[in-house]
Amino acid sequence: MVSAIWNDATIATSNETVVVEGNHYFPPSAVDFSLLEMSPHTSVCPIKGTARYFHVRVGDALNANAAWTYPDPTPEAEGIRDHVAFWKGVDVA
């Protein structure tokens, strides 16, 4: 079981993550979207496509752009469509 935890809150947990470039991508059904807020930030990966970011909020604490997803990935990255990955201090283990 892999979990994503920040500020003692479990944001996601799953046995079915997809690992790409060292990052665990959690299926949407495994993510607590009540802890995520859409960010206007995006980035482009030539392999995976355009990433959309989320802020992680736990109580009054905000971790800006700490999660991302690929809602319209390249054909090579179709396996992570809408899956969510984490960084910036979110403990994924």
Side-chain angles (χ1 to χ4, degrees):
M1 183 74 66
V2 180
S3 296
I5 300 170
W6 186 70
N7 271 16
D8 296 323
T10 300
I11 308 161
T13 187
S14 178
N15 283 325
E16 299 176 1
T17 63
V18 178
V19 179
V20 176
E21 297 179 329
N23 295 303
H24 284 270
Y25 285 81
F26 291 82
S29 62
V31 178
D32 182 352
F33 282 95
S34 73
L35 299 173
L36 303 182
E37 300 174 1
M38 185 63 76
S39 165
H41 183 70
T42 62
S43 66
V44 178
C45 171
I47 297 169
K48 297 180 293 260
T50 300
R52 299 284 317 188
Y53 287 77
F54 297 93
H55 306 310
V56 176
R57 182 177 297 279
V58 176
D60 291 333
L62 180 73
N63 191 345
N65 300 316
W68 72 94
T69 186
Y70 288 92
D72 189 25
T74 63
E76 295 82 15
E78 185 61 37
I80 59 168
R81 177 182 293 274
D82 295 325
H83 284 50
V84 181
F86 300 92
W87 68 327
K88 295 182 74 176
V90 176
D91 182 29
V92 177

Coordinates of all heavy atoms in Angstrom, one line a residue:
M1 N 0.8 -1.2 0.0 CA 0.0 0.0 0.0 C 0.9 1.2 0.0 O 1.8 1.3 0.8 CB -0.9 0.0 1.2 CG -1.9 1.1 1.3 SD -3.3 1.0 0.2 CE -4.2 -0.4 0.8
V2 N 0.6 2.2 -0.9 CA 1.4 3.4 -1.0 C 0.4 4.5 -0.5 O -0.7 4.6 -0.9 CB 1.9 3.7 -2.4 CG1 2.6 5.0 -2.5 CG2 2.7 2.5 -2.9
S3 N 1.0 5.4 0.3 CA 0.2 6.6 0.8 C 0.9 7.9 0.5 O 2.1 7.9 0.5 CB -0.1 6.5 2.3 OG -0.9 5.3 2.6
A4 N 0.1 9.0 0.4 CA 0.6 10.3 0.3 C 0.1 11.1 1.5 O -1.1 11.2 1.7 CB 0.2 11.0 -1.0
I5 N 1.1 11.5 2.3 CA 0.7 12.2 3.6 C 1.4 13.5 3.7 O 2.6 13.6 3.4 CB 1.1 11.3 4.8 CG1 0.3 9.9 4.7 CG2 0.8 11.9 6.1 CD1 0.8 8.9 5.6
W6 N 0.6 14.5 4.2 CA 1.2 15.8 4.4 C 0.5 16.4 5.6 O -0.7 16.4 5.7 CB 1.1 16.8 3.2 CG 1.8 18.1 3.4 CD1 3.1 18.3 3.4 CD2 1.2 19.3 3.5 NE1 3.4 19.6 3.6 CE2 2.2 20.3 3.7 CE3 -0.1 19.8 3.6 CZ2 2.0 21.6 3.9 CZ3 -0.4 21.1 3.8 CH2 0.7 22.0 3.9
N7 N 1.3 17.0 6.6 CA 0.7 17.6 7.8 C -0.2 16.6 8.5 O -1.3 17.0 8.9 CB 0.0 18.9 7.5 CG 1.0 20.1 7.6 OD1 2.2 19.9 7.5 ND2 0.4 21.3 7.6
D8 N 0.2 15.4 8.6 CA -0.6 14.3 9.3 C -1.9 13.9 8.6 O -2.7 13.2 9.2 CB -0.8 14.6 10.7 CG 0.5 14.7 11.5 OD1 1.4 13.9 11.3 OD2 0.6 15.6 12.4
A9 N -2.1 14.4 7.4 CA -3.4 14.1 6.7 C -3.0 13.2 5.5 O -2.1 13.4 4.8 CB -4.0 15.3 6.2
T10 N -3.8 12.1 5.4 CA -3.6 11.2 4.3 C -4.4 11.7 3.1 O -5.6 11.9 3.1 CB -4.1 9.8 4.6 OG1 -3.3 9.3 5.7 CG2 -3.9 8.8 3.4
I11 N -3.7 12.1 2.0 CA -4.3 12.6 0.8 C -4.7 11.6 -0.2 O -5.7 11.7 -0.9 CB -3.3 13.6 0.1 CG1 -2.7 14.6 1.1 CG2 -3.9 14.3 -1.1 CD1 -1.4 15.3 0.7
A12 N -3.9 10.5 -0.2 CA -4.2 9.4 -1.1 C -3.6 8.1 -0.6 O -2.6 8.1 0.1 CB -3.6 9.7 -2.5
T13 N -4.2 7.0 -0.9 CA -3.7 5.7 -0.6 C -4.2 4.7 -1.6 O -5.3 4.7 -2.0 CB -4.1 5.3 0.9 OG1 -3.4 4.1 1.2 CG2 -5.5 5.1 1.1
S14 N -3.3 3.8 -2.0 CA -3.6 2.8 -3.1 C -2.6 1.7 -3.2 O -1.4 1.9 -3.0 CB -3.8 3.5 -4.4 OG -4.1 2.6 -5.4
N15 N -3.1 0.6 -3.7 CA -2.2 -0.5 -4.1 C -2.0 -0.5 -5.6 O -1.3 -1.4 -6.1 CB -2.8 -1.9 -3.7 CG -2.7 -2.2 -2.2 OD1 -1.7 -1.9 -1.6 ND2 -3.7 -2.8 -1.7
E16 N -2.6 0.5 -6.3 CA -2.6 0.5 -7.7 C -2.0 1.8 -8.3 O -2.5 2.3 -9.3 CB -4.0 0.3 -8.2 CG -4.6 -1.0 -7.8 CD -6.0 -1.2 -8.2 OE1 -6.6 -0.3 -8.9 OE2 -6.6 -2.3 -7.9
T17 N -0.9 2.3 -7.7 CA -0.2 3.4 -8.2 C 0.6 3.0 -9.5 O 0.9 1.8 -9.6 CB 0.7 4.1 -7.2 OG1 1.8 3.2 -6.9 CG2 0.0 4.6 -6.0
V18 N 0.8 4.0 -10.3 CA 1.6 3.8 -11.5 C 2.9 4.6 -11.3 O 2.8 5.8 -11.1 CB 0.9 4.2 -12.8 CG1 1.8 4.0 -14.0 CG2 -0.4 3.5 -13.0
V19 N 4.1 4.0 -11.4 CA 5.3 4.7 -11.2 C 5.9 5.1 -12.5 O 6.1 4.3 -13.4 CB 6.3 3.8 -10.4 CG1 7.6 4.6 -10.2 CG2 5.7 3.4 -9.1
V20 N 6.1 6.4 -12.7 CA 6.7 7.0 -13.9 C 7.8 8.0 -13.4 O 7.5 8.9 -12.6 CB 5.7 7.7 -14.8 CG1 6.3 8.4 -16.0 CG2 4.6 6.8 -15.2
E21 N 9.0 7.8 -13.9 CA 10.1 8.7 -13.6 C 10.2 8.8 -12.0 O 10.5 9.9 -11.5 CB 9.9 10.0 -14.2 CG 10.0 9.9 -15.8 CD 9.8 11.3 -16.5 OE1 9.1 12.2 -15.9 OE2 10.4 11.4 -17.6
G22 N 10.0 7.8 -11.3 CA 10.2 7.8 -9.9 C 9.1 8.3 -9.1 O 9.1 8.4 -7.8
N23 N 8.0 8.8 -9.7 CA 6.8 9.3 -9.0 C 5.7 8.3 -9.0 O 5.4 7.7 -10.1 CB 6.4 10.6 -9.7 CG 7.4 11.7 -9.6 OD1 7.8 12.1 -8.5 ND2 7.8 12.2 -10.7
H24 N 5.0 8.2 -7.9 CA 3.8 7.3 -7.8 C 2.6 8.2 -8.2 O 2.4 9.2 -7.7 CB 3.6 6.8 -6.4 CG 4.5 5.8 -6.0 ND1 4.2 4.4 -6.2 CD2 5.7 5.8 -5.4 CE1 5.1 3.7 -5.7 NE2 6.1 4.5 -5.2
Y25 N 1.9 7.7 -9.2 CA 0.7 8.4 -9.7 C -0.5 7.6 -9.2 O -0.7 6.4 -9.5 CB 0.6 8.4 -11.2 CG 1.5 9.4 -11.8 CD1 2.9 9.2 -12.0 CD2 1.0 10.7 -12.2 CE1 3.7 10.2 -12.5 CE2 1.9 11.7 -12.7 CZ 3.2 11.4 -12.8 OH 4.1 12.4 -13.4
F26 N -1.3 8.2 -8.3 CA -2.5 7.6 -7.7 C -3.7 7.7 -8.6 O -4.0 8.7 -9.1 CB -2.8 8.3 -6.3 CG -1.7 8.1 -5.3 CD1 -0.6 8.8 -5.3 CD2 -1.9 7.1 -4.3 CE1 0.4 8.6 -4.3 CE2 -1.0 6.9 -3.3 CZ 0.2 7.7 -3.3
P27 N -4.5 6.6 -8.7 CA -5.7 6.7 -9.4 C -6.7 7.7 -8.7 O -6.6 7.8 -7.5 CB -6.3 5.2 -9.4 CG -5.6 4.6 -8.3 CD -4.3 5.3 -8.1
P28 N -7.5 8.3 -9.5 CA -8.4 9.4 -8.9 C -9.3 8.8 -7.8 O -9.5 9.6 -6.8 CB -9.3 9.8 -10.1 CG -8.6 9.4 -11.3 CD -7.7 8.2 -11.0
S29 N -9.7 7.6 -7.9 CA -10.6 7.0 -6.8 C -9.8 6.9 -5.5 O -10.5 6.7 -4.4 CB -11.1 5.7 -7.2 OG -10.0 4.8 -7.4
A30 N -8.5 7.0 -5.5 CA -7.7 6.8 -4.3 C -7.3 8.2 -3.6 O -6.7 8.2 -2.6 CB -6.4 6.1 -4.6
V31 N -7.8 9.3 -4.2 CA -7.3 10.6 -3.8 C -8.5 11.3 -3.1 O -9.6 11.3 -3.5 CB -6.9 11.5 -5.0 CG1 -6.5 12.9 -4.6 CG2 -5.7 10.8 -5.7
D32 N -8.2 12.0 -1.9 CA -9.1 12.8 -1.2 C -9.1 14.2 -1.8 O -8.3 15.0 -1.4 CB -8.8 12.8 0.3 CG -9.8 13.6 1.1 OD1 -10.7 14.3 0.5 OD2 -9.7 13.6 2.3
F33 N -9.9 14.4 -2.8 CA -9.9 15.7 -3.5 C -10.4 16.9 -2.6 O -10.2 18.0 -3.0 CB -10.7 15.6 -4.8 CG -10.0 14.9 -5.9 CD1 -10.1 13.6 -6.1 CD2 -9.1 15.6 -6.7 CE1 -9.4 12.9 -7.1 CE2 -8.4 15.0 -7.7 CZ -8.5 13.7 -7.9
S34 N -11.0 16.6 -1.5 CA -11.4 17.7 -0.6 C -10.1 18.4 0.0 O -10.2 19.5 0.5 CB -12.3 17.1 0.6 OG -11.5 16.4 1.5
L35 N -9.0 17.8 -0.1 CA -7.7 18.4 0.4 C -6.9 19.1 -0.7 O -5.9 19.6 -0.5 CB -6.8 17.3 1.0 CG -7.4 16.6 2.3 CD1 -6.5 15.5 2.7 CD2 -7.7 17.6 3.4
L36 N -7.5 19.0 -1.9 CA -6.8 19.7 -3.1 C -7.6 20.8 -3.6 O -8.8 20.8 -3.6 CB -6.6 18.6 -4.2 CG -5.9 17.3 -3.9 CD1 -5.7 16.5 -5.1 CD2 -4.5 17.7 -3.3
E37 N -6.9 21.9 -4.0 CA -7.5 23.0 -4.7 C -6.8 23.2 -6.0 O -5.5 23.3 -6.1 CB -7.2 24.3 -3.8 CG -7.8 24.2 -2.4 CD -7.5 25.4 -1.5 OE1 -6.7 26.3 -2.0 OE2 -7.9 25.4 -0.4
M38 N -7.6 23.4 -7.1 CA -7.0 23.6 -8.4 C -6.1 24.9 -8.4 O -6.4 25.9 -7.9 CB -8.1 23.8 -9.4 CG -7.6 23.8 -10.9 SD -6.7 22.4 -11.4 CE -8.1 21.3 -11.7
S39 N -4.9 24.7 -9.0 CA -4.0 25.8 -9.2 C -4.0 26.2 -10.7 O -4.3 25.4 -11.5 CB -2.6 25.3 -8.8 OG -1.6 26.2 -9.3
P40 N -3.7 27.5 -10.9 CA -3.6 27.9 -12.4 C -2.3 27.5 -13.0 O -2.1 27.6 -14.2 CB -3.7 29.4 -12.3 CG -3.2 29.8 -10.9 CD -3.6 28.6 -10.0
H41 N -1.4 26.9 -12.2 CA -0.1 26.5 -12.7 C -0.1 25.3 -13.6 O -0.9 24.4 -13.3 CB 0.9 26.2 -11.5 CG 2.3 25.9 -11.9 ND1 3.1 26.9 -12.5 CD2 3.0 24.8 -11.9 CE1 4.3 26.3 -12.7 NE2 4.2 25.0 -12.4
T42 N 0.6 25.3 -14.7 CA 0.8 24.2 -15.6 C 2.3 24.1 -15.9 O 3.1 25.0 -15.7 CB 0.0 24.4 -16.9 OG1 0.5 25.5 -17.6 CG2 -1.5 24.5 -16.6
S43 N 2.6 22.9 -16.4 CA 4.0 22.7 -17.0 C 3.8 21.7 -18.1 O 2.8 21.0 -18.2 CB 4.9 22.2 -15.9 OG 4.6 20.9 -15.5
V44 N 4.8 21.7 -19.0 CA 4.8 20.8 -20.2 C 5.9 19.8 -20.1 O 7.1 20.2 -20.0 CB 4.7 21.6 -21.5 CG1 4.7 20.6 -22.7 CG2 3.5 22.5 -21.5
C45 N 5.6 18.5 -20.3 CA 6.6 17.5 -20.4 C 6.5 16.9 -21.8 O 5.4 16.6 -22.2 CB 6.4 16.4 -19.3 SG 7.4 14.9 -19.6
P46 N 7.6 16.9 -22.5 CA 7.6 16.3 -23.9 C 7.1 14.9 -24.0 O 6.6 14.4 -25.0 CB 9.0 16.5 -24.4 CG 9.8 16.7 -23.2 CD 9.0 17.2 -22.1
I47 N 7.3 14.2 -22.9 CA 6.9 12.7 -22.9 C 5.5 12.5 -22.4 O 4.8 11.7 -23.0 CB 7.9 11.9 -22.0 CG1 9.3 12.0 -22.5 CG2 7.5 10.5 -21.8 CD1 10.4 11.5 -21.6
K48 N 5.0 13.3 -21.4 CA 3.7 13.1 -20.8 C 2.7 14.1 -21.2 O 1.5 13.8 -21.1 CB 3.8 13.0 -19.3 CG 4.7 11.9 -18.8 CD 4.8 11.9 -17.3 CE 5.6 13.0 -16.7 NZ 6.9 12.9 -16.4
G49 N 3.0 15.3 -21.6 CA 2.1 16.3 -22.0 C 2.0 17.4 -21.0 O 3.0 17.7 -20.3
T50 N 0.9 18.1 -21.0 CA 0.7 19.2 -20.1 C 0.1 18.8 -18.7 O -0.9 18.2 -18.7 CB -0.3 20.3 -20.7 OG1 0.3 20.7 -22.0 CG2 -0.5 21.5 -19.8
A51 N 0.8 19.2 -17.7 CA 0.4 18.9 -16.3 C -0.4 20.0 -15.7 O -0.1 21.2 -16.0 CB 1.6 18.6 -15.4
R52 N -1.4 19.7 -15.0 CA -2.2 20.7 -14.2 C -1.9 20.4 -12.7 O -1.8 19.3 -12.3 CB -3.7 20.4 -14.4 CG -4.2 20.6 -15.8 CD -4.3 22.0 -16.3 NE -4.9 22.8 -15.2 CZ -5.3 24.1 -15.3 NH1 -5.2 24.7 -16.5 NH2 -5.8 24.7 -14.3
Y53 N -1.8 21.5 -12.0 CA -1.4 21.4 -10.6 C -2.5 21.7 -9.6 O -3.5 22.3 -9.9 CB -0.2 22.4 -10.3 CG 1.1 21.9 -11.0 CD1 1.3 22.0 -12.3 CD2 2.0 21.2 -10.2 CE1 2.4 21.5 -12.9 CE2 3.2 20.8 -10.8 CZ 3.4 20.9 -12.1 OH 4.5 20.5 -12.7
F54 N -2.3 21.2 -8.4 CA -3.2 21.4 -7.3 C -2.4 21.9 -6.1 O -1.2 21.5 -5.9 CB -3.9 20.1 -6.8 CG -4.8 19.5 -7.8 CD1 -4.3 18.5 -8.7 CD2 -6.1 19.8 -7.9 CE1 -5.1 17.9 -9.6 CE2 -7.0 19.2 -8.8 CZ -6.5 18.2 -9.7
H55 N -3.0 22.8 -5.3 CA -2.4 23.1 -4.0 C -3.0 22.0 -3.0 O -4.1 21.6 -3.2 CB -2.9 24.5 -3.5 CG -2.6 25.6 -4.4 ND1 -1.4 25.8 -5.0 CD2 -3.4 26.6 -4.9 CE1 -1.4 26.9 -5.8 NE2 -2.7 27.4 -5.7
V56 N -2.2 21.7 -2.0 CA -2.7 20.8 -1.0 C -3.0 21.7 0.2 O -2.1 22.4 0.7 CB -1.6 19.7 -0.6 CG1 -2.1 18.8 0.6 CG2 -1.3 18.8 -1.8
R57 N -4.2 21.5 0.8 CA -4.6 22.3 2.0 C -5.0 21.4 3.1 O -5.9 20.5 2.9 CB -5.7 23.3 1.7 CG -6.1 24.1 2.9 CD -7.1 25.2 2.6 NE -6.7 26.2 1.7 CZ -6.0 27.2 1.9 NH1 -5.5 27.4 3.2 NH2 -5.7 28.1 1.0
V58 N -4.4 21.5 4.2 CA -4.7 20.8 5.4 C -5.0 21.8 6.5 O -4.0 22.4 7.0 CB -3.7 19.7 5.8 CG1 -4.0 19.1 7.1 CG2 -3.4 18.7 4.7
G59 N -6.2 22.0 6.9 CA -6.5 23.1 7.8 C -6.1 24.4 7.3 O -6.5 24.7 6.1
D60 N -5.3 25.2 8.0 CA -4.9 26.5 7.5 C -3.6 26.4 6.7 O -3.1 27.4 6.2 CB -4.7 27.4 8.7 CG -6.0 27.8 9.3 OD1 -7.1 27.8 8.7 OD2 -6.0 28.1 10.6
A61 N -3.0 25.2 6.7 CA -1.7 25.1 6.0 C -1.9 24.8 4.5 O -2.7 24.0 4.1 CB -0.9 23.9 6.6
L62 N -1.1 25.5 3.7 CA -1.2 25.4 2.2 C 0.2 25.0 1.7 O 1.2 25.6 2.0 CB -1.7 26.7 1.6 CG -1.8 26.7 0.1 CD1 -3.0 25.9 -0.3 CD2 -1.9 28.1 -0.5
N63 N 0.2 24.0 0.8 CA 1.4 23.5 0.1 C 1.1 23.8 -1.4 O 0.4 23.0 -2.0 CB 1.7 22.1 0.4 CG 3.1 21.6 -0.1 OD1 3.7 22.3 -0.8 ND2 3.5 20.5 0.4
A64 N 1.6 24.9 -1.9 CA 1.3 25.4 -3.2 C 1.9 24.4 -4.3 O 3.0 24.0 -4.2 CB 1.8 26.8 -3.5
N65 N 1.0 24.1 -5.2 CA 1.4 23.3 -6.4 C 2.1 22.0 -6.0 O 3.1 21.5 -6.7 CB 2.3 24.1 -7.3 CG 1.6 25.3 -7.8 OD1 0.5 25.3 -8.2 ND2 2.3 26.5 -7.8
A66 N 1.7 21.3 -5.0 CA 2.3 20.1 -4.4 C 1.8 18.8 -5.1 O 2.2 17.7 -4.7 CB 2.2 20.1 -2.9
A67 N 0.8 18.9 -5.9 CA 0.2 17.8 -6.6 C 0.0 18.1 -8.1 O -0.3 19.3 -8.4 CB -1.1 17.3 -5.9
W68 N 0.0 17.1 -8.9 CA -0.3 17.4 -10.3 C -0.9 16.1 -11.0 O -0.8 15.0 -10.5 CB 1.0 17.8 -11.1 CG 2.0 16.7 -11.3 CD1 2.1 15.9 -12.4 CD2 3.0 16.3 -10.4 NE1 3.2 15.0 -12.3 CE2 3.8 15.2 -11.0 CE3 3.4 16.7 -9.1 CZ2 4.8 14.6 -10.4 CZ3 4.5 16.0 -8.5 CH2 5.2 15.0 -9.2
T69 N -1.5 16.4 -12.1 CA -2.1 15.4 -12.9 C -2.0 15.7 -14.4 O -1.7 16.8 -14.8 CB -3.6 15.3 -12.5 OG1 -4.2 14.2 -13.2 CG2 -4.4 16.5 -12.9
Y70 N -2.2 14.7 -15.2 CA -2.2 14.8 -16.7 C -3.6 14.5 -17.2 O -3.9 13.3 -17.4 CB -1.1 13.9 -17.3 CG 0.3 14.4 -17.1 CD1 1.0 14.0 -16.0 CD2 0.8 15.4 -17.9 CE1 2.3 14.4 -15.7 CE2 2.1 15.8 -17.7 CZ 2.8 15.3 -16.6 OH 4.1 15.8 -16.3
P71 N -4.5 15.5 -17.4 CA -5.8 15.2 -17.8 C -5.9 14.8 -19.3 O -6.9 14.2 -19.7 CB -6.6 16.5 -17.5 CG -5.5 17.6 -17.5 CD -4.3 16.9 -17.0
D72 N -4.9 15.2 -20.1 CA -4.9 14.9 -21.5 C -3.5 14.5 -21.9 O -2.8 15.3 -22.6 CB -5.4 16.1 -22.3 CG -5.6 15.7 -23.8 OD1 -5.9 14.6 -24.1 OD2 -5.5 16.7 -24.6
P73 N -3.0 13.3 -21.4 CA -1.6 13.0 -21.6 C -1.3 12.6 -23.1 O -2.3 12.3 -23.9 CB -1.4 11.7 -20.7 CG -2.8 11.1 -20.7 CD -3.8 12.3 -20.7
T74 N -0.1 12.5 -23.4 CA 0.4 12.0 -24.7 C 0.0 10.5 -24.8 O -0.3 9.8 -23.7 CB 1.9 12.1 -24.9 OG1 2.5 11.3 -23.9 CG2 2.3 13.6 -24.8
P75 N -0.1 9.9 -26.0 CA -0.4 8.5 -26.1 C 0.5 7.6 -25.3 O 0.1 6.6 -24.7 CB -0.3 8.2 -27.6 CG -0.6 9.5 -28.2 CD 0.0 10.6 -27.3
E76 N 1.8 8.0 -25.2 CA 2.8 7.2 -24.4 C 2.5 7.2 -22.9 O 2.9 6.3 -22.2 CB 4.2 7.7 -24.6 CG 4.7 7.6 -26.1 CD 4.2 8.7 -27.0 OE1 3.7 9.8 -26.5 OE2 4.3 8.6 -28.2
A77 N 1.8 8.2 -22.4 CA 1.5 8.3 -21.0 C 0.0 8.1 -20.7 O -0.4 8.4 -19.6 CB 1.9 9.7 -20.5
E78 N -0.7 7.5 -21.5 CA -2.1 7.3 -21.3 C -2.4 6.5 -20.0 O -3.5 6.8 -19.4 CB -2.7 6.5 -22.5 CG -4.2 6.3 -22.4 CD -5.0 7.6 -22.4 OE1 -4.6 8.5 -23.1 OE2 -6.0 7.6 -21.7
G79 N -1.5 5.7 -19.5 CA -1.7 5.0 -18.3 C -1.8 5.8 -17.0 O -2.2 5.3 -16.0
I80 N -1.4 7.1 -17.1 CA -1.5 8.0 -16.0 C -2.6 9.1 -16.1 O -2.6 10.0 -15.3 CB -0.2 8.6 -15.6 CG1 0.4 9.5 -16.7 CG2 0.8 7.6 -15.1 CD1 1.6 10.3 -16.3
R81 N -3.4 8.9 -17.1 CA -4.5 9.9 -17.3 C -5.3 10.1 -16.0 O -5.8 9.2 -15.4 CB -5.5 9.5 -18.4 CG -6.6 10.4 -18.6 CD -7.6 9.9 -19.7 NE -7.0 9.9 -21.0 CZ -7.0 11.0 -21.8 NH1 -7.5 12.1 -21.4 NH2 -6.4 10.9 -23.0
D82 N -5.4 11.4 -15.6 CA -6.1 11.8 -14.4 C -5.6 11.2 -13.1 O -6.2 11.5 -12.0 CB -7.6 11.4 -14.5 CG -8.3 12.2 -15.7 OD1 -7.9 13.4 -15.9 OD2 -9.2 11.6 -16.3
H83 N -4.5 10.5 -13.1 CA -3.8 10.1 -11.9 C -3.1 11.3 -11.3 O -2.8 12.2 -11.9 CB -2.8 8.9 -12.2 CG -3.5 7.6 -12.4 ND1 -4.5 7.4 -13.3 CD2 -3.2 6.4 -11.9 CE1 -4.8 6.1 -13.4 NE2 -4.1 5.5 -12.5
V84 N -2.9 11.2 -10.0 CA -2.3 12.3 -9.2 C -1.0 11.9 -8.6 O -1.0 10.9 -7.9 CB -3.3 12.9 -8.2 CG1 -2.8 14.1 -7.4 CG2 -4.7 13.2 -8.8
A85 N 0.0 12.8 -8.7 CA 1.3 12.6 -8.1 C 1.6 13.8 -7.2 O 0.9 14.8 -7.3 CB 2.4 12.5 -9.2
F86 N 2.5 13.6 -6.3 CA 2.8 14.6 -5.2 C 4.3 14.8 -5.1 O 5.1 13.9 -5.4 CB 2.3 14.0 -3.9 CG 0.8 13.8 -3.9 CD1 0.3 12.5 -4.2 CD2 -0.1 14.8 -3.6 CE1 -1.1 12.3 -4.2 CE2 -1.5 14.6 -3.6 CZ -1.9 13.3 -3.9
W87 N 4.6 16.0 -4.6 CA 6.0 16.4 -4.3 C 6.0 17.5 -3.3 O 5.0 17.7 -2.6 CB 6.8 16.7 -5.5 CG 6.3 18.0 -6.3 CD1 5.1 18.5 -6.3 CD2 7.2 18.9 -6.9 NE1 5.1 19.7 -7.1 CE2 6.4 19.9 -7.5 CE3 8.5 18.9 -7.2 CZ2 6.9 21.0 -8.2 CZ3 9.0 20.0 -8.0 CH2 8.2 21.0 -8.5
K88 N 7.1 18.2 -3.1 CA 7.2 19.4 -2.2 C 6.8 19.1 -0.8 O 6.0 19.7 -0.2 CB 6.3 20.6 -2.8 CG 6.8 21.1 -4.1 CD 5.9 22.2 -4.6 CE 6.3 23.5 -3.8 NZ 5.6 24.7 -4.2
G89 N 7.4 18.0 -0.3 CA 7.2 17.7 1.1 C 6.1 16.7 1.4 O 6.0 16.3 2.6
V90 N 5.3 16.4 0.4 CA 4.3 15.3 0.7 C 5.1 14.0 0.7 O 5.8 13.7 -0.2 CB 3.3 15.3 -0.5 CG1 2.3 14.2 -0.3 CG2 2.5 16.6 -0.5
D91 N 4.9 13.3 1.8 CA 5.6 12.0 2.0 C 4.8 10.9 1.3 O 3.6 10.6 1.6 CB 5.6 11.7 3.5 CG 6.4 10.4 3.8 OD1 7.3 10.0 3.0 OD2 6.1 9.8 4.8
V92 N 5.5 10.3 0.3 CA 4.9 9.2 -0.5 C 5.7 8.0 -0.2 O 6.8 7.9 -0.5 CB 4.9 9.5 -2.0 CG1 4.3 8.4 -2.8 CG2 4.1 10.8 -2.3
A93 N 5.0 7.0 0.5 CA 5.7 5.8 0.8 C 4.7 4.7 1.0 O 3.6 4.9 1.2 CB 6.5 6.0 2.1

